[in-house]
Amino acid sequence: MGLTRRQFLKGVAAATVVGVGGVSAYGGLFEAWDYEVTETVVRVRDLPARFEGFRIAQLSDVHHGRLVSLDEVRRVVGLANAARPDMVALTGDYTTSLRKYVEPCAEVLGELRAPEGVWAVLGNHDHKTDGPLTRQALGRRGINVLTNENTELRRGDDSLRLAGVDDWGWGKADFERTMRGVDTRRPSILLAHEPMALDVPQTRGVSLILSGHTHGGQIRLPVVGAPAAYLWKHLKYLRGMYESEGTQLFVSRGTGVIGVPIRVGARPEVALLRLQRA
């Protein structure tokens, strides 16, 4: 999300406070820091035996900065570690716009622990802030940043392909390069900040795409739904699970906020995904 979205969310938040009243306003302010640990079972065709029950903790849209303190980043890292995942997936937007927040945020994210590693891609705000600096800061903390590339996770003789595409909204995505050498007839996972990756021809056949970017709408009103989804058509995949031609997409609601420190009807989420053989 960018500047015009920030202004839009301020307007929506103001309307929410005035129209719904003080109770809803308090609820929105509280909800912004009321993290929910969700668990989703993802069925994967031909999943190798050693990856049965494989658990992925996904953190997205941390947005450390003026509105999201480092203590809040520590809280979500603690929740992810407490889930004892096999792997951690970070799907972008670690800060919002200022370079001074990059190193402190990377240092806290560096406390994430998982036996199969911590893997990341960058989001639009990471490039807005400083893409190379963000990539280097994460890398120095042992976080593997995938930039239009793929790798292989191995457990004994079994393997699972893992790919990561750079941010589409900032014009950095190269899906062809990202998927080069990936046999989509076999189990594979793609990290992509923006959920529109589901609509890209090169991702057809990928077992699971993990995305963020939407904040679940951040403000989701009764009856109306999320105003942001009406304003920006590329937010059609807003939260949770989707499927298209055999490819599954999970969109995290993320943990941070942008524009205003308010969430309504879109609790921040630390997502835990458990793979099962279909």
Side-chain angles (χ1 to χ4, degrees), residues 34 61 123 177 186 193:
D34 184 21
D61 301 275
R177 178 182 170 192
R186 299 174 61 82
H193 178 64

Side-chain angles (χ1 to χ4, degrees), residues 9-262:
L9 287 172
K10 285 181 179 179
V12 171
T16 301
V17 172
V18 174
V20 182
V23 173
S24 291
Y26 170 79
L29 289 166
F30 174 74
E31 191 174 355
W33 319 116
D34 184 21
Y35 303 108
E36 179 181 11
V37 179
T38 63
E39 184 164 353
T40 303
V41 173
V42 181
R43 301 195 180 277
V44 177
R45 180 174 53 84
D46 297 329
L47 183 70
R50 288 182 175 85
F51 284 92
E52 178 71 29
F54 191 77
R55 290 155 53 90
I56 304 170
Q58 182 191 3
L59 295 181
S60 195
D61 301 275
V62 172
H63 281 293
H64 171 48
R66 183 175 55 86
L67 298 179
V68 181
S69 72
L70 211 55
D71 284 341
E72 295 300 330
V73 182
R74 288 193 183 95
R75 284 184 64 196
V76 299
V77 166
L79 289 169
N81 283 339
R84 300 178 65 84
D86 296 297
M87 184 189 102
V88 175
L90 303 177
T91 46
D93 280 6
Y94 309 108
T95 58
T96 298
S97 60
L98 297 179
R99 298 175 79 251
K100 68 179 182 179
Y101 294 113
V102 172
E103 291 285 354
C105 184
E107 184 172 353
V108 173
L109 291 176
E111 296 171 8
L112 288 162
R113 295 291 181 267
E116 305 297 339
V118 181
W119 300 85
V121 291
L122 300 191
N124 55 306
H125 278 277
D126 301 315
H127 286 291
K128 179 180 180 181
T129 302
D130 190 325
L133 174 63
T134 302
R135 188 178 294 109
Q136 292 162 13
L138 293 172
R140 283 195 294 269
R141 273 74 180 191
I143 296 171
N144 307 286
V145 182
L146 294 170
T147 305
N148 297 320
E149 57 188 317
N150 64 78
T151 187
E152 192 174 56
L153 302 177
R154 297 201 65 87
R155 286 185 156 187
D157 294 332
D158 291 342
S159 64
L160 183 65
R161 207 74 195 177
L162 176 66
V165 68
D166 210 344
D167 186 65
W168 170 80
W170 209 257
K172 300 291 186 178
D174 186 338
F175 284 95
E176 186 170 342
R177 178 182 170 192
T178 300
M179 301 304 296
R180 190 172 297 150
V182 177
D183 183 356
T184 54
R185 295 170 298 181
R186 299 174 61 82
S188 55
I189 297 172
L190 171 66
L191 309 184
H193 178 64
E194 303 204 22
M196 55 69 59
L198 183 62
D199 296 331
V200 174
Q202 290 90 340
T203 68
R204 286 289 171 267
V206 170
S207 305
L208 175 64
I209 301 172
L210 298 179
S211 296
H213 182 61
T214 69
H215 300 198
Q218 189 165 316
I219 295 174
R220 192 167 182 264
L221 306 176
V223 182
V224 175
Y230 294 95
L231 189 60
W232 294 286
K233 298 302 181 184
H234 71 282
L235 296 185
K236 63 179 180 177
Y237 304 122
L238 201 62
R239 57 200 288 171
M241 289 293 298
Y242 300 86
E243 188 274 339
S244 176
E245 299 181 27
T247 296
Q248 299 176 92
L249 164 71
F250 181 82
V251 184
S252 169
R253 300 191 300 267
T255 63
V257 293
I258 191 170
V260 288
I262 291 176

